[in-house]
Amino acid sequence: MTKPNLLSGMQPSAGSLHLGNYLGALVNWAGMQDDYNAYYVIVDLHAITSPQKPAELRTNSRRTAAQYIAAGIDVTKSALFVQSHVPAHAQLAWVLNCITGFGEASRMTQFKDKSQKAGADSASVGLFTYPILQAADILLYQPKAVPVGEDQRQHIELTRDLAMRFNARFGDTFTIPEAVILKETAKIYDLQNPTAKMSKSTADPKGLVNIMDDNATILKKIKSAVTDTEGIIKFDREAKAGVSNLLGIYSAISGRSIESIEGEFEGAGYGVLKAEVANVVIAAIEPIRERTQELMSDQNELDRLLAEGADKANEVAEATLAKVYDAIGFLKAAK
Ligand code: AMP
Ligand code: TRP
């Protein structure tokens, strides 16, 4: 039996992924590669919806790719590629722009948030059509599953609406994809502000553990994590956000249940818990960081792997785009 397709994407907008990206998304992506024919796209076209310095964008695209490979994306099983290497993304996005309502696009909450932050005059039209480009990313690969975080649910709903609309108007063309929303327990919080999710845009860098941080930095950040004054190691997201986050991180990395970890640390102080969490985090991240550095030191090889990924992606994407162009009535160019 052939495996169903899967697609997901990540922005190359930072020099390092953080622990939340790793435990919340990447571990799951790596785990799905055997059951799905997976396409993982580094969305550089999306990245330029907010201003990027060209040299940084280039480096961050490579670094993002290197970290995904280092963390378990196996390029012999899955296609890992850069969005701008596959022209069909921009081409299909145009077609989808033309079947999306202005009001429909205006209702996207991520656009509303981001454009408010940027200020009405500096938000670009590209930011407005961001979700439609995302729909194109997805629909080109006819995936059944799109693993994403909860914040992407609305974009996947729009993608489904556009796919159904296109199919109804122009004939069956697209598979209707399903969001696979990663579970809440995999959500990692900021170490300094443990009611907010860990995010690269945090106010205090001490709250954020990066995959590219060295061991001493990771240890220091975890040791200075905010806890409480009760002195009891117990999971309670409301009353004990800091301790619960440490337990959540431990559980996500070790695969053990929260109860068994609570049992292990019964009667122990927060210092002991932090030291042990730092241990498991470092044990998980150190090999990824080292492998990333290795991959980054041979840029030609990394670029070659991405070119292979783009070849696999282009084959599928071009076939879907050809169907779309034909369905809407574009003339085929004579050979
Ligand atoms: P972002 O860096 O926000 O673009 O997110 C990339 C991926 O990582 C998405 O699938 C997010 O859902 C996931 N992610 C980001 N931050 C966290 C977090 N603190 N905990 C769990 N998953 C996260
Ligand atoms: N918008 C997604 C995010 O911010 C990134 C993304 C772009 C994506 N294209 C995609 C995710 C296609 C899944 C499928 O995380």
Side-chain angles (χ1 to χ4, degrees):
M1 226 184 66
T2 58
K3 297 179 199 172
N5 289 357
L6 171 157
L7 178 127
S8 199
M10 55 283 178
Q11 294 209 41
S13 45
S16 176
L17 298 173
H18 58 71
L19 192 61
N21 301 137
Y22 174 62
L23 294 174
L26 195 41
V27 169
N28 289 288
W29 291 8
M32 293 174 98
Q33 297 177 102
D34 288 324
D35 299 328
Y36 291 89
N37 205 354
Y39 294 84
Y40 294 119
V41 53
I42 297 162
V43 293
D44 54 350
L45 302 179
H46 280 104
I48 65 163
T49 57
S50 61
Q52 300 290 326
K53 298 199 178 91
E56 265 175 35
L57 179 59
R58 220 168 269 130
T59 307
N60 287 345
S61 293
R62 288 203 180 99
R63 282 175 74 123
T64 304
Q67 288 173 83
Y68 276 80
I69 296 171
I73 300 302
D74 180 344
V75 295
T76 65
K77 291 181 189 158
S78 306
L80 176 69
F81 64 99
V82 175
Q83 193 182 25
S84 63
H85 292 175
V86 181
H89 289 249
Q91 293 168 307
L92 179 60
W94 177 255
V95 174
L96 296 178
N97 275 332
C98 297
I99 65 162
T100 307
F102 196 85
E104 192 175 29
S106 309
R107 284 193 290 278
M108 294 294 119
T109 54
Q110 196 172 64
F111 170 71
K112 289 195 246 177
D113 291 350
K114 286 191 183 173
S115 58
Q116 243 162 32
K117 274 189 204 151
D121 290 336
S122 44
S124 67
V125 175
L127 187 64
F128 185 63
T129 62
Y130 177 117
I132 303 160
L133 177 60
Q134 181 168 352
D137 296 343
I138 296 169
L139 297 177
L140 282 173
Y141 300 91
Q142 311 283 3
K144 248 182 123 87
V146 185
V148 285
E150 177 62 41
D151 60 332
Q152 296 299 311
R153 190 188 287 279
Q154 199 188 26
H155 290 171
I156 312 303
E157 274 308 310
L158 175 71
T159 303
R160 290 167 55 86
D161 289 346
L162 294 177
M164 288 188 262
R165 188 174 308 156
F166 190 98
N167 286 352
R169 280 194 205 163
F170 301 107
D172 229 4
T173 307
F174 295 122
T175 303
I176 311 300
E178 299 266 355
V180 177
I181 307 279
L182 306 168
K183 31 179 212 306
E184 166 70 16
T185 47
K187 191 157 164 186
I188 307 301
Y189 293 82
D190 190 297
L191 295 175
Q192 288 300 316
N193 178 16
T195 53
K197 87 170 192 178
M198 187 177 282
S199 158
K200 60 186 171 242
S201 52
T202 181
D204 183 350
K206 287 208 303 299
L208 180 68
V209 174
N210 286 306
I211 288 191
M212 300 311 286
D213 284 344
D214 60 35
N215 293 349
T217 305
I218 297 175
L219 182 64
K220 208 160 105 198
K221 286 178 176 174
I222 293 178
K223 285 214 155 154
S224 47
V226 167
T227 49
D228 54 62
T229 53
E230 194 184 32
I232 297 172
I233 297 177
K234 190 175 76 187
F235 190 91
D236 180 343
R237 200 63 95 186
E238 308 267 282
K240 296 170 73 67
V243 171
S244 302
N245 188 34
L246 292 171
L247 290 170
I249 292 171
Y250 195 126
S251 164
I253 292 184
S254 63
R256 287 172 49 193
S257 71
I258 298 281
E259 297 82 65
S260 97
I261 298 168
E262 282 173 340
E264 177 187 337
F265 287 102
E266 205 179 332
Y270 293 160
V272 176
L273 173 66
K274 286 177 174 178
E276 196 43 36
V277 170
N279 265 341
V280 294
V281 170
I282 288 169
I285 283 183
E286 187 177 30
I288 299 176
R289 181 178 68 236
E290 286 173 353
R291 179 83 183 106
T292 301
Q293 283 159 348
E294 233 173 80
L295 288 158
M296 285 302 286
S297 70
D298 189 352
Q299 230 155 66
N300 290 338
E301 174 61 8
L302 185 59
D303 289 356
R304 192 188 64 76
L305 295 176
L306 289 172
E308 265 177 23
D311 284 346
K312 288 192 228 169
N314 266 307
E315 204 178 305
V316 182
E318 278 170 15
T320 303
L321 187 72
K323 271 201 213 165
V324 168
Y325 273 20
D326 187 48
I328 51 181
F330 287 165
L331 273 180
K332 275 201 187 81
K335 290 238 164 72

